[in-house]
């Protein structure tokens, strides 16, 4: 059972009044609304899994030449690793009620935390624009299907996007901003609906395909190539690593959502249903659809939008495509809107609120012209791989600091103390040991990204980063093991399972 030292809301409000304005605002302060149940966490992961990207990733594993049981085993092992990591990274934020950017102050210092915050914000910055573009492209397909007269608007482009493309992109951008602008409660209600809605469409689509092809038209092995035992083993290891890598972004800032959890028991339950059970079921439904397209249309279609658009009934097509768009909005808000909102707010709490931080990311995503970035595979590969090389080390350092160095203790008041007396002041607000561990781990990740001969291990860069970042920090900070809890000032939360 958790053993926590808590304070009353009145005492918490009094404590927050003494927090440094350079480190605190209403959005970054410890939340008093920890009311998310296991279903809300479950819906969070449903929104993250049920996307066009998740669909393609799950479908692609069945084309590796592996038997169905091998692919499903890889998916299950990979997602169980994600579940374990999600439980670990959720705990400090749930205990303290603060987002990822704030809990990083424990390891990096009260000002040094801006380093991981900006890195994570920039990664979300790029992906937000790309996901918005994908949703806009789906909307454009819907509009062209029902209003063919709009086709001339696709022939004139400006900055790489057609007139209709700009209209659709602006519509998706505005819809996401409207949901986000209403705050975390609106986001919670939205993802509670978005994830389950996609399941309805996916199951209906799978049922339609089975009805058209019969069960004989469904195969769980979608590749004709045969692999040796060694090749099968390597493909299985690679597929498992890819599952973890796909979720590494949302996993890193999962604390932005776990901070609202009622308790760790609810969060673990939500992770259990939202990850292994949900992802495996989603993968099975996905392969039924993809396999069925090969039998029904003579080619394997991995784009869910294209598959839905080939259904004969116009009303079914409209409902299916609009639901896919809603799902994409859901994952974009969850993975790429909330994170930079907290991260950028952390850099200047009094000037940048949660809303302002999110809108910075939204506006910046347009300036990046993500459709051009997305249409240049080499550029997007290097840009996002370089940023992604930071995720593993940041994750490793955060966990090692909390569990091994601080021994699971959070001094919440010190997270907002910008004086040398603060526990997390270190040297001028920066922890040089955490930064020293981050640099070589990131450097190795960059080497893997840029040297062609090392691309074979690029799929394992997250694991390499976690081990190097966490291992280096544990060694460098070995003389700073946590003191007894009594040595901490102010509000201290101690939680033991």
């Amino acid at each position: 059972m958790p053993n926590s030292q808590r304070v009353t809301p009145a005492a918490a409000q009094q404590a927050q009044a003494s927090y440094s304005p350079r480190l605190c605002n209403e959005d970054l302060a410890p939340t008093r609304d920890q009311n998310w149940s296991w279903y809300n966490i479950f819906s969070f992961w449903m929104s993250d899994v049920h996307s066009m990207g998740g669909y393609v990733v799950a479908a692609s594993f069945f084309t590796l030449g592996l038997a169905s049981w091998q692919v499903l085993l890889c998916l299950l092992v990979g997602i169980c690793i994600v579940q374990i990591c999600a439980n670990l990274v959720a705990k400090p934020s749930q205990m303290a009620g603060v987002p990822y950017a704030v809990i990083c102050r424990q390891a990096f210092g009260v000002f040094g935390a801006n380093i991981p915050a900006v890195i994570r914000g920039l990664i979300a910055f790029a992906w937000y624009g790309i996901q918005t573009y994908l949703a806009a492209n789906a909307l454009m397909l819907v509009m062209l299907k029902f209003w063919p007269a709009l086709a001339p608007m696709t022939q004139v482009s400006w900055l790489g996007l057609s007139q209709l493309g700009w209209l659709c992109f602006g519509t998706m951008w505005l819809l996401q901003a409207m949901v986000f602008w209403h705050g975390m409660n609106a986001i919670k209600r939205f993802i509670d609906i978005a994830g389950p809605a996609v399941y309805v469409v996916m199951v209906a689509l799978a049922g339609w395909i089975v009805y058209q092809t019969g069960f004989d038209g469904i195969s769980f092995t979608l590749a004709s190539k045969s692999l040796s035992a060694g090749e099968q083993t390597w493909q299985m290891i690679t597929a498992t690593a890819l599952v973890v890598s796909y979720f590494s972004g949302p996993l890193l800032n999962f604390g932005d959502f776990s901070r609202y959890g009622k308790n760790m028991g609810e969060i673990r339950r939500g992770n259990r249903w939202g990850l292994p059970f949900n992802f495996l079921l989603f993968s099975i439904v996905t392969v039924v659809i993809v396999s069925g397209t090969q039998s029904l249309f003579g080619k394997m279609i991995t784009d869910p939008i294209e598959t839905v658009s080939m259904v004969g009934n116009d009303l079914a097509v409209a409902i299916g495509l609009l639901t896919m768009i809603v799902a994409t909005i859901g994952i974009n808000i969850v993975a790429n809107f909330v994170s930079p909102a907290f991260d950028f707010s952390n850099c200047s709490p009094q000037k940048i609120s949660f809303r302002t931080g999110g809108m910075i990311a939204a506006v910046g995503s347009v300036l990046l012209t993500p459709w051009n970035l997305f249409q240049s595979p080499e550029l997007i590969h290097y840009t996002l791989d370089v940023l992604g090389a930071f995720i593993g080390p940041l994750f490793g350092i955060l966990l090692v600091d909390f569990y091994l160095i601080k021994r699971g203790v959070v001094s919440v008041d010190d997270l907002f103390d910008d004086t040398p007396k603060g526990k997390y002041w270190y040297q001028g607000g920066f922890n040089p040991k955490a930064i020293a561990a981050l640099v070589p781990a990131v450097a190795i990740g960059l080497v893997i990204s840029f040297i062609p001969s090392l691309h074979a291990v690029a799929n394992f860069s997250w694991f390499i980063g976690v081990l190097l970042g966490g291992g280096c920090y544990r060694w460098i900070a070995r003389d700073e093991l946590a003191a007894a809890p009594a040595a901490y000032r102010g509000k201290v939360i101690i939680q033991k399972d």
Side-chain angles (χ1 to χ4, degrees):
M1 294 293 291
N3 177 21
S4 302
Q5 177 181 334
R6 299 289 183 182
V7 295
T8 64
Q13 193 169 7
Q14 183 179 0
Q16 289 176 25
S18 65
Y19 291 165
S20 168
R22 300 169 67 191
L23 299 173
C24 186
N25 60 26
E26 184 180 354
D27 304 304
L28 299 177
T31 182
R32 295 187 295 274
D33 298 322
Q34 293 185 305
N35 54 16
W36 282 36
S37 68
W38 72 270
Y39 180 78
N40 302 126
I41 301 298
F42 169 64
S43 297
F44 164 84
W45 288 117
M46 287 184 78
S47 294
D48 204 21
V49 170
H50 301 174
S51 66
M52 288 182 281
Y55 180 100
V56 173
V57 168
S60 67
F61 292 157
F62 287 87
T63 68
L64 297 176
L66 300 173
S68 57
W69 69 268
Q70 292 174 318
V71 176
L72 293 175
L73 179 62
C74 294
L75 292 170
L76 190 59
V77 171
I79 208 66
C80 284
I81 294 174
V82 175
Q83 179 194 2
I84 293 170
C85 293
N87 289 336
L88 291 173
V89 79
K91 189 173 182 178
S93 286
Q94 193 281 327
M95 287 170 58
V98 297
Y100 163 77
V102 174
I103 206 65
C104 278
R105 295 173 185 174
Q106 266 201 309
F108 286 88
V110 289
F111 297 131
N114 288 330
I115 297 172
V118 169
I119 291 171
R120 179 64 185 101
L122 290 176
I123 294 172
F125 200 90
W127 274 115
Y128 176 82
I130 292 170
Q131 290 279 13
T132 302
Y133 166 69
L134 292 175
N137 199 43
L139 178 61
M140 186 164 63
L141 291 176
V142 174
M143 295 181 71
L144 288 174
K145 184 174 183 63
F146 291 96
W147 296 284
L150 296 175
M153 294 180 65
T154 64
Q155 298 172 2
V156 179
S157 66
W158 181 64
L159 296 178
L161 199 62
S162 67
Q163 291 175 316
L164 185 59
W166 274 108
L167 177 63
C168 294
F169 186 89
T171 300
M172 289 296 98
W173 189 94
L174 185 60
L175 288 175
Q176 292 173 126
M178 288 173 62
V179 175
F180 171 81
W181 193 258
H182 285 82
M184 287 302 298
N185 285 331
I187 293 172
K188 180 178 74 170
R189 290 193 295 269
F190 185 85
I191 63 177
D192 283 349
I193 297 172
V198 177
Y199 250 138
V200 173
V201 172
M202 293 284 286
V203 171
L205 186 58
W208 177 80
I209 285 180
V210 171
Y211 174 78
Q212 295 291 328
T213 65
F215 286 103
D216 294 339
I218 306 299
S219 171
F220 280 87
T221 301
L222 302 180
S224 58
K225 59 183 178 181
S226 59
L227 303 176
S228 65
E231 289 173 332
Q232 289 180 14
T233 302
W234 178 251
Q235 291 281 30
M236 290 178 69
I237 294 173
T238 301
T240 302
L242 285 172
V243 173
V244 181
S245 297
Y246 177 76
F247 288 98
S248 62
L251 187 61
L252 182 64
N253 69 290
F254 183 51
D256 293 344
F257 299 89
S258 68
R259 68 182 295 211
Y260 299 104
K262 292 179 179 179
N263 52 59
M264 278 304 300
E266 290 285 314
I267 292 173
R268 292 191 186 96
R269 185 182 177 191
N271 288 342
R272 182 169 60 250
W273 285 102
L275 287 168
F277 174 81
N278 176 46
F279 189 65
L280 194 59
L281 180 59
F282 180 79
S283 300
I284 293 173
V285 173
T286 296
V287 78
V288 168
I289 296 172
V290 175
S291 178
T293 61
Q294 193 170 35
S295 301
L296 191 59
F297 305 115
K299 62 176 182 177
M300 186 173 63
I301 303 174
T302 58
D303 183 351
I305 298 297
E306 184 179 353
T307 303
V308 172
S309 66
M310 299 179 76
V311 177
N313 187 287
D314 286 348
L315 179 60
V317 170
I319 294 174
L321 289 176
L322 290 174
T323 305
M324 290 292 184
I325 291 170
V326 168
T328 303
I329 293 175
I331 185 179
N332 215 13
I333 291 175
V334 165
N336 304 315
F337 217 147
V338 172
S339 172
F342 284 124
D343 294 336
F344 293 140
S345 179
N346 187 74
C347 296
S348 182
Q350 295 306 304
K351 296 180 180 178
I352 305 175
S353 66
F354 174 76
R355 286 177 174 176
T356 304
M359 295 312 295
I360 289 174
V363 172
S365 69
V366 180
L367 299 179
L368 278 177
T369 61
W371 44 90
N372 293 321
L373 187 67
F374 187 72
Q375 290 171 0
S376 175
E378 184 176 354
L379 178 60
I380 191 173
H381 169 77
Y382 283 112
T383 301
L384 297 179
D385 274 5
V386 166
L387 293 174
F390 290 82
I391 294 182
L394 290 175
F395 188 86
I397 291 170
L398 176 64
L399 294 191
V400 165
D401 181 77
F402 176 73
Y403 288 98
L404 301 182
I405 304 300
K406 303 299 192 297
R407 303 293 178 89
V409 176
V410 180
S411 179
V412 178
D413 286 354
D414 286 302
L415 292 173
F416 301 92
D417 189 342
D418 65 348
T419 68
K421 295 181 181 179
K423 186 71 180 179
Y424 310 125
W425 176 254
Y426 298 108
Q427 296 182 20
F430 294 82
N431 183 2
K433 295 182 178 180
I435 297 172
L438 178 66
V439 171
V442 169
I444 292 175
L446 296 178
V447 169
I448 293 174
S449 298
F450 282 105
I451 297 182
S453 60
L454 296 178
H455 281 179
V457 296
N459 293 326
F460 304 93
S461 59
W462 184 85
F463 293 92
I464 295 171
V466 170
L467 293 175
L468 287 177
C472 286
Y473 182 65
R474 176 63 181 85
W475 183 77
I476 294 173
R478 61 190 182 280
D479 59 339
E480 293 188 1
L481 295 179
Y488 285 82
R489 303 186 305 104
K491 178 186 174 187
V492 179
I493 299 178
I494 308 170
Q495 182 163 332
K496 298 179 181 179
D497 289 337

